[in-house]
Amino acid sequence: QFSFQENGWGASLAERLVRKCDVVNRGLSGYNTRWAKLILPRLISRSTGAESTVAVTIFFGANDSALKDLNPKQHVPLEEYAANLKSMIQYLKSVDITEDRIILITPPPLQESAWEKECLAKGDKLNRRNATTGEYAQACVQVARDCGTDVLDLWTLMQKNQDFSSYLSDGLHLSTKGNSFLAAQLWSRLEKKLSALPSLLPYWRDVDHTNPEASLL
């Protein structure tokens, strides 16, 4: 949901693609795969036009991996999380969105000390662990392998030879830098798929102003 805020990764992709295609945001703050699996048919249906869908990203795990004892509302067991991802992929395939157009995104790493401050401010205990989030990220990568989709392993990439805290605004959600990182990583996977797309309408200098119908219709 936050991806379309200022400097968000969704907004960044939409800006890059403004003359190519529409970027539709159906992210919902706080949701997990158990809920997403149920509502996916309402968000994407056969009538949505699979032939005009270039790519679909599925980005879950940060909420599913919440610790069951401390956050039972959002927690989804690891095996169910993987099964839910597979179910969503199967649904998309059933409406003719093929696996080569599906990109799974793992949850980012969790910076525990920063997130613990957020939890304590609300009177709660630390309700997530980075190691646990990593198990969900690994499961997401495995689902992608099993189903033949692409995958963006944020959890691993953000921790590669660096302090990842600057990628997160509060230990859990992406910062401006984290959004830029995700947008760049995602664009490297989308660029090939999108490079052949024509511009929706001609550049204004190319319009015949004496006979605009010839250029625009």
Side-chain angles (χ1 to χ4, degrees):
Q1 182 174 324
F2 300 145
S3 72
F4 267 54
Q5 288 183 338
E6 187 176 4
N7 301 315
W9 63 270
S12 174
L13 290 176
E15 185 179 11
R16 283 179 187 251
L17 294 167
V18 70
R19 295 292 289 270
K20 296 276 190 177
C21 61
D22 297 324
V23 177
V24 180
N25 178 11
R26 291 293 179 265
L28 297 161
S29 177
Y31 272 51
N32 57 30
T33 57
R34 184 181 290 166
W35 305 344
K37 181 182 75 169
L38 297 175
I39 63 169
L40 183 58
R42 194 188 313 174
L43 305 180
I44 299 175
S45 64
R46 198 176 293 276
S47 63
T48 307
E51 72 285 346
S52 63
T53 302
V54 182
V56 175
T57 60
I58 301 176
F59 187 10
F60 285 97
N63 295 321
D64 297 67
S65 62
L67 302 177
K68 182 180 181 181
D69 295 347
L70 297 170
N71 190 347
K73 184 166 186 174
Q74 290 178 301
H75 169 80
V76 172
L78 185 61
E79 288 186 8
E80 185 190 340
Y81 166 74
N84 290 342
L85 289 177
K86 288 182 179 179
S87 176
M88 285 189 272
I89 292 168
Q90 291 301 321
Y91 171 75
L92 291 173
K93 289 171 67 176
S94 78
V95 295
D96 300 325
I97 296 174
T98 49
E99 52 267 81
D100 61 309
R101 287 183 280 168
I102 301 169
I103 303 172
L104 300 188
I105 307 174
T106 76
L110 180 80
Q111 217 283 316
E112 292 182 12
S113 58
W115 185 243
E116 186 171 28
K117 287 180 184 176
E118 297 289 322
C119 293
L120 291 172
K122 298 173 185 173
D124 299 326
K125 295 179 181 177
L126 178 64
N127 57 21
R128 289 165 169 81
R129 293 284 182 187
N130 191 38
T132 305
T133 304
E135 293 174 4
Y136 283 70
Q138 289 173 358
C140 180
V141 170
Q142 189 59 51
V143 168
R145 287 191 187 129
D146 293 344
C147 296
T149 71
D150 202 349
V151 63
L152 175 50
D153 185 359
L154 269 192
W155 191 86
T156 299
L157 287 170
M158 284 186 167
Q159 294 183 89
K160 209 169 187 176
N161 306 320
Q162 59 199 331
D163 172 19
F164 64 87
S165 59
S166 62
Y167 288 129
L168 304 167
S169 62
D170 55 7
L172 175 67
H173 300 98
L174 297 176
S175 64
T176 296
K177 184 178 177 182
N179 273 284
S180 296
F181 182 85
L182 173 49
Q185 292 289 331
L186 201 50
W187 183 249
S188 70
R189 287 158 171 78
L190 288 171
E191 197 168 9
K192 287 180 184 175
K193 299 177 191 289
L194 300 172
S195 59
L197 286 178
S199 290
L200 294 173
L201 286 165
Y203 181 53
W204 72 271
R205 290 188 187 277
D206 297 331
V207 176
D208 181 353
H209 68 283
T210 63
N211 182 18
E213 291 87 350
S215 303
L216 301 175
L217 298 179

